Amino acid sequence: MSVKVFYASVSGNLEIKTAQQRIFSVLDGKRIPYEMVDITASDEAKASMRSIAGNPTALPPQISNGNAYCGDFSAFEAAVESEALEAFLKL
């Protein structure tokens, strides 16, 4: 399985953009490999993100390990702060 970050390459929401950049920065800094899944590129990607998150209105960024849901940005930040990122990412 691999870590997937569902994100939106096109968004007018500054909060979403900032959250996405923070996730990519942390994962890159810790050299954790991940796959970027752009939900604006296809309806299938958006549907997949919402299915995995178990929320029909979920917004990016959302994180999974394969098809196992890890959490949203708030949960990611909590994991980083408590130094439990690897457990959060199911690594």
Side-chain angles (χ1 to χ4, degrees):
M1 292 212 279
S2 66
V3 174
K4 292 182 185 177
V5 179
F6 293 91
Y7 78 104
S9 62
V10 179
S11 174
N13 185 321
L14 183 59
E15 188 176 324
I16 288 175
K17 288 181 182 179
T18 303
Q20 293 173 164
Q21 290 172 341
R22 168 82 172 136
I23 290 171
F24 298 143
S25 176
V26 169
L27 294 178
D28 289 341
K30 294 188 177 288
R31 299 179 194 268
I32 296 172
Y34 60 93
E35 176 186 348
M36 297 170 64
V37 181
D38 183 2
I39 67 160
T40 63
S42 78
D43 287 335
E44 284 180 28
K46 185 191 299 181
S48 175
M49 174 191 76
R50 289 179 170 170
S51 173
I52 290 169
N55 179 347
T57 60
L59 296 174
Q62 300 288 332
I63 304 166
S64 72
N65 190 327
N67 288 328
Y69 184 59
C70 297
D72 61 8
F73 179 68
S74 297
F76 176 84
E77 277 292 272
V80 170
E81 292 300 316
S82 64
E83 298 183 5
L85 185 58
E86 288 189 7
F88 168 79
L89 295 173
K90 304 176 187 331
L91 297 176

